[in-house]
Amino acid sequence: GAVVSQHPSRVICKSGTSVKIECRSLDFQATTMFWYRQFPKQSLMLMATSNEGSKATYEQGVEKDKFLINHASLTLSTLTVTSAHPEDSSFYICSARDPWRSYGYTFGSGTRLTVV
Amino acid sequence: GQQVMQIPQYQHVQEGEDFTTYCNSSTTLSNIQWYKQRPGGHPVFLIQLVKSGEVKKQKRLTFQFGEAKKNSSLHITATQTTDVGTYFCAGPGSNFGNEKLTFGTGTRLTIIP
């Protein structure tokens, strides 16, 4: 099936620094990718929709200047958490869909971000 | 905005017992998807239901889409330890052609051996 690779799987950073998370569709092209955040024992909250070659669409309440999304190719989307603070610590997951193979979405393995 | 609720929030069952989680959307859905997330893992797509009243089975799992296309259920027969995880339903956005999903609140299943 469709494969989505996400890196890094874990990252610890100091408060005030920036962290970049990569999401790659390995065996299909993804014009659209989705970025979610998940707090412990909670559901997935959609942060933004990443569109290849155009600006991302952010959900209400998500700061676009803090969570920078770039989707420069059909197989790569990146999420940069800028000036990270401890409250940004969370599990970030991307997803994409190969419409030729599945109705469902394939998720990356997620990135656990800890800001100290 | 669209809200998708699931009950129960947690379910502890003895191995071999049945399990059911219920999903309710505040809006009519064009389809409903179900995902399973193992502890420490990422969501994995299980199935999509599209038609009103549709029932689909995958081995011990039975999925149902309500007649009004606002609710759904997942039933697991004779649970096994491999069924441990959180089960999420998810529905697409209300706008035509909107691909983004709204996930339900999830039901966490634990199995008592």
Side-chain angles (χ1 to χ4, degrees):
Chain A
V3 180
V4 173
S5 175
Q6 185 173 342
H7 293 281
S9 58
R10 293 177 182 271
V11 59
I12 301 173
C13 71
K14 291 185 177 180
S15 188
T17 61
S18 296
V19 173
K20 180 185 283 189
I21 302 170
E22 290 189 350
C23 181
R24 294 180 184 273
S25 56
L26 297 187
D27 53 356
F28 68 101
Q29 294 181 335
T31 56
T32 303
M33 291 185 177
F34 299 91
W35 287 94
Y36 294 85
R37 181 165 55 182
Q38 185 177 36
F39 291 107
K41 298 183 179 180
Q42 293 190 21
S43 186
L44 289 84
M45 298 301 296
L46 180 65
M47 298 176 65
T49 302
S50 174
N51 303 298
E52 187 269 334
S54 65
K55 291 183 179 180
T57 305
Y58 291 82
E59 294 300 300
Q60 191 173 9
V62 177
E63 300 175 59
K64 61 179 66 176
D65 294 331
K66 181 169 187 60
F67 298 100
L68 300 179
I69 291 174
N70 184 276
H71 195 151
S73 78
L74 287 171
T75 58
L76 174 64
S77 175
T78 60
L79 168 67
T80 302
V81 183
T82 62
S83 187
H85 291 283
E87 55 266 31
D88 299 323
S89 299
S90 188
F91 190 53
Y92 294 87
I93 322 176
C94 65
S95 77
R97 187 171 73 95
D98 182 355
W100 299 104
R101 279 192 279 195
S102 173
Y103 296 113
Y105 288 82
T106 300
F107 284 79
S109 54
T111 298
R112 189 160 304 281
L113 170 65
T114 303
V115 185
V116 298
Chain B
Q2 181 186 44
Q3 291 187 324
V4 183
M5 305 297 292
Q6 284 181 251
I7 55 171
Q9 188 176 3
Y10 300 96
Q11 186 78 60
H12 312 285
V13 301
Q14 291 274 355
E15 187 176 7
E17 291 182 342
D18 293 355
F19 159 78
T20 304
T21 173
Y22 299 92
C23 171
N24 290 284
S25 171
S26 59
T27 59
T28 301
L29 301 169
S30 58
N31 66 76
I32 188 89
Q33 298 183 6
W34 284 91
Y35 292 80
K36 176 184 178 181
Q37 185 176 24
R38 293 181 183 273
H42 58 276
V44 174
F45 173 70
L46 295 177
I47 206 163
Q48 175 175 285
L49 304 172
V50 178
K51 299 177 183 177
S52 171
E54 187 172 12
V55 178
K56 285 189 176 180
K57 292 189 176 185
Q58 286 181 349
K59 297 183 181 178
R60 295 178 295 105
L61 279 61
T62 301
F63 304 84
Q64 188 167 6
F65 201 9
E67 294 290 340
K69 301 183 76 172
K70 294 183 69 175
N71 57 72
S72 181
S73 65
L74 158 60
H75 179 83
I76 302 178
T77 303
T79 55
Q80 300 175 358
T81 54
T82 53
D83 296 325
V84 166
T86 302
Y87 293 85
F88 293 101
C89 62
S94 54
N95 298 327
F96 177 77
N98 190 331
E99 286 190 77
K100 62 181 184 180
L101 295 177
T102 297
F103 277 77
T105 48
T107 297
R108 175 174 287 198
L109 173 64
T110 56
I111 306 290
I112 306 167

